[in-house]
Amino acid sequence: ARHDRGLPEKTSKLMALVPAPPPMLFGAVFVRKSFVISSDSFARADATHWTLDLAPLLQGAYHEVRDVCLFIPNANLLDNNSALALYVQAGNSPWEYRGCVSNVQPSEVFPLNWPLNPDGTLPATAQIGVSVEPLSEVAGREQLVLGSKEDFAKRVAMDLFRYMESFLGDDRLGVGNVIDNWFNKFLNKFRRDPNFLTRNKEQS
């Protein structure tokens, strides 16, 4: 006799005995480097914290992984006042915040920017961590991340201005206007999409 789905009846009964996999609370994908990594592959420290050791997963080549997509598959993990925050650690470095997802924004791609040793070398090991946190606390970290990126752009603009003015003598006002226009356009793009530069790089 055949099962109504085309499987032998014995096989169908054996499959019925196999326990269903645990539900995926969240997932991660290392861009261009991995398939979906389910939450049950993470080590669960407690009810709201998980870690993933990259050494066995990537055979020690974690530095080749530059971006990770973090996502929640449905609204069952978080309430509307919580977020799932992403952190990275390399060697003995402290955990560093990289971004978050929530019910309003259930998926996002984050640059990992692995921490370095004091001498500038890469640590031998690395891991990522995720934790459920109040959305109000994560919002403060998000502002710090955006502020540091904007400050970096200002420093680049000032360095460019100083470099160009050394060649142009009395025409500094014109150079300053050009750079002001560029920087204002940059800020408008950045405030709409803080990751537009890295996104454009991936598409080029």
Side-chain angles (χ1 to χ4, degrees):
R2 287 277 184 177
H3 190 262
D4 58 3
R5 291 188 178 179
L7 290 173
E9 184 176 356
K10 183 177 180 181
T11 301
S12 179
K13 290 180 178 179
L14 288 173
M15 290 177 64
L17 297 175
V18 177
M24 182 167 62
L25 301 177
F26 60 86
V29 177
F30 293 110
V31 178
R32 300 180 180 176
K33 296 294 183 180
S34 80
F35 297 102
V36 172
I37 303 169
S38 176
S39 54
D40 60 293
S41 296
F42 285 64
R44 189 164 190 168
D46 55 38
T48 59
H49 294 81
W50 298 259
T51 60
L52 180 68
D53 184 1
L54 271 62
L57 185 67
L58 300 171
Q59 289 77 50
Y62 75 87
H63 58 279
E64 297 179 0
V65 178
R66 298 182 178 180
D67 304 280
V68 64
C69 175
L70 181 67
F71 66 91
I72 48 176
N74 51 56
N76 293 334
L77 175 64
L78 303 173
D79 59 42
N80 291 333
N81 297 313
S82 300
L84 189 67
L86 172 72
Y87 296 85
V88 300
Q89 183 187 56
N92 295 320
S93 75
W95 288 99
E96 296 184 7
Y97 176 79
R98 290 294 180 264
C100 70
V101 295
S102 65
N103 288 341
V104 174
Q105 185 172 316
S107 65
E108 184 57 272
V109 176
F110 304 105
L112 291 165
N113 297 331
W114 298 109
L116 300 176
N117 290 320
D119 62 0
T121 59
L122 282 164
T125 60
Q127 56 184 334
I128 63 171
V130 295
S131 65
V132 177
E133 301 178 11
L135 195 57
S136 57
E137 292 183 10
V138 173
R141 295 193 184 94
E142 284 293 297
Q143 290 303 313
L144 289 175
V145 170
L146 295 179
S148 63
K149 290 182 178 179
E150 186 171 321
D151 181 65
F152 178 75
K154 290 178 181 177
R155 292 173 183 270
V156 170
M158 182 57 67
D159 185 70
L160 176 62
F161 173 74
R162 289 172 177 166
Y163 176 77
M164 293 179 67
E165 72 174 354
S166 66
F167 293 95
L168 297 172
D170 295 334
D171 195 25
R172 296 179 182 182
L173 181 60
V175 174
N177 288 336
V178 170
I179 293 179
D180 281 344
N181 290 336
W182 165 79
F183 186 66
N184 288 331
K185 289 180 179 179
F186 172 86
L187 282 185
N188 288 333
K189 290 182 179 180
F190 173 77
R191 288 167 179 170
R192 290 195 302 268
D193 179 7
N195 296 313
F196 82 94
L197 284 176
T198 52
R199 186 169 292 111
N200 288 344
K201 181 180 179 181
E202 290 294 331
Q203 292 173 353
S204 61

